[in-house]
Amino acid sequence: MTQPLVSIVVPVYQGASTLAECLESILAQTYQRWECTIIENCSVDESRAIARQFAEREPRIRVVENQRLLPALANHNAALQQISPDCKYCKVVFADDLIYPDCLSEMVGLAEQHPSVGFVGAYWLQGEEIAGVGLEPSKTVFPGRDVGRRHFLESLYAFGSANSLLYRADLVRARRPFFNESNIHADTEVCFELLKSCDFGFVHKTLTFTRVRPGSLTAQSAELQTYFASVLRALLAHGRDYLTQEEFDRLLEQRILDYYQFLSASLLRGRDRAFWAYHKAQLDATTGFSWGRLAGVIIRSAAQKPAAVLKKLRGHKSGQAA
């Protein structure tokens, strides 16, 4: 029986230090019927040369060079437009990251056994931490709406980034663009969309590695601490599709409170203008930013722990004066 074709796309920008390791991990796959397209995004380091070397060495690899520099998510969408019309599955492998030898065989094997599965995940190693835990080890297929519901109610995060997932190619072709380029967490957003109409497959093995490096979307997310904005946006956009109205209303109030408590603590830490511009814009685009609500949270915190808040305020003012 012929193996289904997997199209792998590798978006790269300034990835010379990691690209070769990434591509070697693709060459090391035990699953053999794949093709790989490297989308080179106008790098000024050695990325282009490294990509071409691998393409010369391996006929299943080709290189597409962008004519102009694209933002990261736009480049990811451009990469997915390069998948073969003959492929059944597609896999994003970021140039910063890598996949372990059994990644494709395990993910494709599960998807082939269960046609209702729209995309497949697995545990991933992020730095030195295993992520993606929480699903029952006794099961490999989960109803999509149940996974979305548990994400909201249990803070279950089993998706990871696109690097940790394998998608059915017909689902990717049906969405143009595949990722919402205005959302730094577009990979999570698209999962919520897909889970409304398909099941989620999960391999209980560590199959991918995600590296955090300066300038990556993961690093930007960590620097701006986008978590609170992300969960609020996801709830507002998709919560009603997975929750009862009572559950939605309760969670929405809790997520807003959590966000302002986080901002209260951030104010006392003296975060920079970029941080505040990001979070104010996120709230303005969702529930509306309120200085009054933020002040109320700070006042309540001061009433509960006055000495600690006063100490932080004094430190914040001293830092500003310096």
Side-chain angles (χ1 to χ4, degrees):
M1 183 176 176
T2 304
Q3 291 180 320
L5 177 64
V6 179
S7 271
I8 303 170
V9 295
V10 181
V12 57
Y13 173 67
Q14 301 294 87
S17 63
T18 58
L19 180 58
E21 184 180 14
C22 167
L23 296 175
E24 290 289 0
S25 80
I26 294 171
L27 291 172
Q29 291 301 295
T30 56
Y31 189 92
Q32 290 299 303
R33 192 157 189 255
W34 55 263
E35 61 171 21
C36 175
T37 304
I38 305 166
I39 294 77
E40 210 299 301
N41 194 22
C42 303
S43 301
V44 295
D45 63 5
E46 294 300 312
S47 296
R48 183 180 291 106
I50 294 169
R52 289 173 176 173
Q53 288 170 9
F54 274 84
E56 291 171 1
R57 164 183 165 190
E58 169 56 61
R60 290 174 293 179
I61 295 177
R62 68 187 180 105
V63 182
V64 173
E65 298 180 12
N66 290 343
Q67 296 304 302
R68 62 184 180 87
L69 178 66
L70 297 177
L73 285 168
N75 194 41
H76 298 170
N77 281 326
L80 288 171
Q81 291 176 16
Q82 296 292 333
I83 64 173
S84 167
D86 299 323
C87 73
K88 187 173 182 179
Y89 302 101
C90 63
K91 179 87 186 72
V92 179
V93 184
F94 296 124
D96 296 345
D97 304 335
L98 54 86
I99 56 178
Y100 295 124
D102 290 334
C103 180
L104 294 183
S105 62
E106 291 281 357
M107 288 184 165
V108 171
L110 191 155
E112 285 291 279
Q113 292 175 25
H114 302 280
S116 67
V117 168
F119 60 111
V120 180
Y123 305 128
W124 67 95
L125 183 64
Q126 184 160 319
E128 298 180 353
E129 178 182 352
I130 299 292
V133 298
L135 291 170
E136 295 82 353
S138 60
K139 297 173 61 178
T140 57
V141 177
F142 301 84
R145 289 190 175 272
D146 287 354
V147 175
R149 179 176 171 79
R150 290 177 64 183
H151 180 98
F152 290 118
L153 294 176
E154 303 173 18
S155 297
L156 175 72
Y157 187 60
F159 312 144
S161 71
N163 191 75
S164 64
L165 301 173
L166 175 86
Y167 303 105
R168 286 194 180 274
D170 58 341
L171 297 178
V172 174
R173 295 188 189 102
R175 292 177 55 88
R176 294 294 177 94
F178 188 66
F179 294 121
N180 174 5
E181 294 172 15
S182 68
N183 183 2
I184 195 172
H185 294 285
D187 47 1
T188 300
E189 179 182 354
V190 79
C191 289
F192 282 121
E193 291 288 355
L194 298 178
L195 289 172
K196 296 172 187 178
S197 59
C198 67
D199 292 337
F200 179 52
F202 195 85
V203 179
H204 296 276
K205 297 180 180 180
T206 304
L207 297 181
T208 62
F209 171 75
T210 295
R211 190 191 319 268
V212 179
R213 72 176 179 91
S216 68
L217 288 179
T218 303
Q220 291 175 37
S221 176
E223 174 63 24
L224 289 172
Q225 294 184 274
T226 63
Y227 168 79
F228 292 94
S230 170
V231 296
L232 179 59
R233 285 184 59 152
L235 179 62
L236 288 167
H238 305 286
R240 290 185 177 89
D241 294 312
Y242 295 97
L243 305 169
T244 66
Q245 188 62 47
E246 180 181 355
E247 290 169 336
F248 175 82
D249 291 341
R250 174 174 54 81
L251 270 179
L252 178 59
E253 183 59 31
Q254 185 60 54
R255 293 293 176 260
I256 294 172
L257 176 60
D258 291 344
Y259 205 153
Y260 277 95
Q261 287 177 334
F262 159 70
L263 292 178
S264 170
S266 299
L267 184 64
L268 298 174
R269 294 190 185 103
R271 296 302 303 262
D272 61 21
R273 289 183 179 179
F275 174 91
W276 286 105
Y278 171 81
H279 289 287
K280 187 175 183 300
Q282 291 297 310
L283 281 166
D284 281 340
T286 52
T287 59
F289 180 79
S290 170
W291 284 110
R293 186 156 193 167
L294 179 57
V297 171
I298 293 173
I299 291 169
R300 284 194 294 275
S301 298
Q304 293 169 358
K305 298 179 180 179
V309 172
L310 182 59
K311 181 178 179 180
K312 288 183 177 180
L313 280 172
R314 285 173 175 165
H316 176 50
K317 289 178 180 177
S318 298
Q320 283 187 327

